Amino acid sequence: MKLEGKTIWITGASSGIGEACAYELAKEKTNLILTGTRKDKLGEVQSKCRALGAACAILPYDFSDVSGIPELLEKALGCFGQVDIMFNNAGISQRAKVGETIFEVDRKIMEVNFFAPVYITKLLLPHMLENGGGTFVTTTSIAGRFGFPLRSAYAASKHALYGFFESLQAEYYDKNIRSVLVCPGRVKTNISFYALEKDGQQHGKLDAGQAGGISPEKAAKKIIKAIRNQKPEVLVGGKELLMVYFKRFLPALNRLLARKIKPE
């Protein structure tokens, strides 16, 4: 798929994978709409994207409150007239055991990671169908392929994304609607810093595993290639991605290894 001239809306665009993908897509002379919680940081990303050749608008928003999504969508459509590619990248992680995590944390993680992209998709889908099709790119996780210590709500939200977006593509494939599921392992971003602990407080540190992950820039190049090729799923990371194949072909071994993962 040719990306030049396409309008692409990226959530979680103020840092990490979203920011790195914005720069790669800017080089393709796209029209970018960037959403994140930090307006000042979005402004910096916007300036860099424009310098790389993209038209770029920013729409700050916090997806823990889904009630404002209809208004946000109208603003997004007003930026360039349509959205060709919706990149649901915003997300929040977790660092707490099931029995110790307050329910409000489970609910917030599901709101940000699952219900927000679902709501955006349901509202945007009619516009894409009217324009002849479109692509939904969604950041999941290897935790969306198997359970993982201290990630119960996070893993649940990522499993749910697989079910929703695979179903979406099955239903609307003949209408030129495509789904690209981005499945990262360890990428060196600040996701662990902002992860929620059992009482809802921020984890506040970069985990060792996260620190040793691949760079967001390397991840972005692989993701953009997958979008261009309309690949249904792309695995992004290092040797930890072997766990996905263990789950598929050696599930008992996967369960054993998952129990032995050192919590961070």
Side-chain angles (χ1 to χ4, degrees):
M1 182 176 65
K2 184 180 179 182
L3 296 176
E4 183 177 354
K6 297 289 187 183
T7 296
I8 305 169
W9 183 9
I10 308 173
T11 67
S14 59
S15 64
I17 289 175
E19 179 183 2
C21 285
Y23 298 147
E24 287 298 314
L25 289 166
K27 297 173 186 176
E28 302 279 348
K29 305 300 186 287
T30 54
N31 302 318
L32 295 175
I33 305 166
L34 308 180
T35 294
T37 56
R38 296 180 291 167
K39 185 177 180 179
D40 56 341
K41 188 63 170 69
L42 279 179
E44 294 175 11
V45 179
Q46 179 187 42
S47 296
K48 293 180 182 179
C49 287
R50 286 175 171 171
L52 289 169
C56 188
I58 61 172
L59 294 174
Y61 194 77
D62 182 349
F63 286 109
S64 61
D65 177 14
V66 299
S67 65
I69 286 179
E71 181 181 354
L72 182 69
L73 178 72
E74 290 306 312
K75 289 180 180 178
L77 291 171
C79 291
F80 300 104
Q82 65 185 65
V83 174
D84 301 300
I85 300 172
M86 179 68 233
F87 192 169
N88 291 302
N89 174 67
I92 189 168
S93 191
Q94 176 187 23
R95 297 293 185 274
K97 289 184 176 180
V98 172
E100 299 174 355
T101 303
I102 61 173
F103 182 65
E104 289 75 12
V105 168
D106 298 305
R107 182 178 291 278
K108 181 174 182 178
I109 290 170
M110 289 300 294
E111 289 284 358
V112 174
N113 293 3
F114 180 68
F115 287 114
V118 165
Y119 201 3
I120 290 172
T121 300
K122 285 178 173 289
L123 294 173
L124 185 55
L125 181 61
H127 297 276
M128 284 190 172
L129 292 172
E130 186 177 337
N131 290 326
T135 301
F136 290 94
V137 183
T138 308
T139 300
T140 61
S141 169
I142 58 172
R145 284 308 198 192
F146 59 90
F148 198 92
L150 308 187
R151 313 286 197 279
S152 55
Y154 179 72
S157 69
K158 298 301 185 177
H159 275 73
L161 289 173
Y162 267 97
F164 183 86
F165 284 99
E166 287 180 346
S167 297
L168 172 75
Q169 177 161 277
E171 292 173 357
Y172 292 96
Y173 192 88
D174 62 340
K175 301 294 185 183
N176 200 31
I177 296 295
R178 299 291 183 265
S179 173
V180 177
L181 289 160
V182 177
C183 181
R186 287 173 168 168
V187 181
K188 191 175 180 180
T189 71
N190 59 9
I191 190 170
S192 64
F193 186 90
Y194 293 107
L196 299 183
E197 296 192 337
K198 59 185 180 181
D199 56 357
Q201 297 297 310
Q202 286 185 358
H203 186 51
K205 62 181 180 180
L206 183 65
D207 291 341
Q210 207 80 47
I214 67 169
S215 70
E217 293 75 21
K218 184 176 180 179
K221 291 182 184 299
K222 193 167 185 178
I223 292 166
I224 304 312
K225 182 179 179 180
I227 295 172
R228 187 182 290 110
N229 294 333
Q230 299 281 271
K231 193 174 181 181
E233 181 185 38
V234 55
L235 300 177
V236 181
K239 62 182 180 180
E240 72 280 358
L241 298 179
L242 287 172
M243 290 289 287
V244 176
Y245 298 101
F246 292 160
K247 173 66 175 181
R248 186 177 303 169
F249 300 111
L250 300 166
L253 176 61
N254 174 274
R255 288 190 290 270
L256 174 64
L257 292 175
R259 292 196 298 270
K260 292 181 176 296
I261 291 172
K262 184 179 179 181
E264 294 181 309

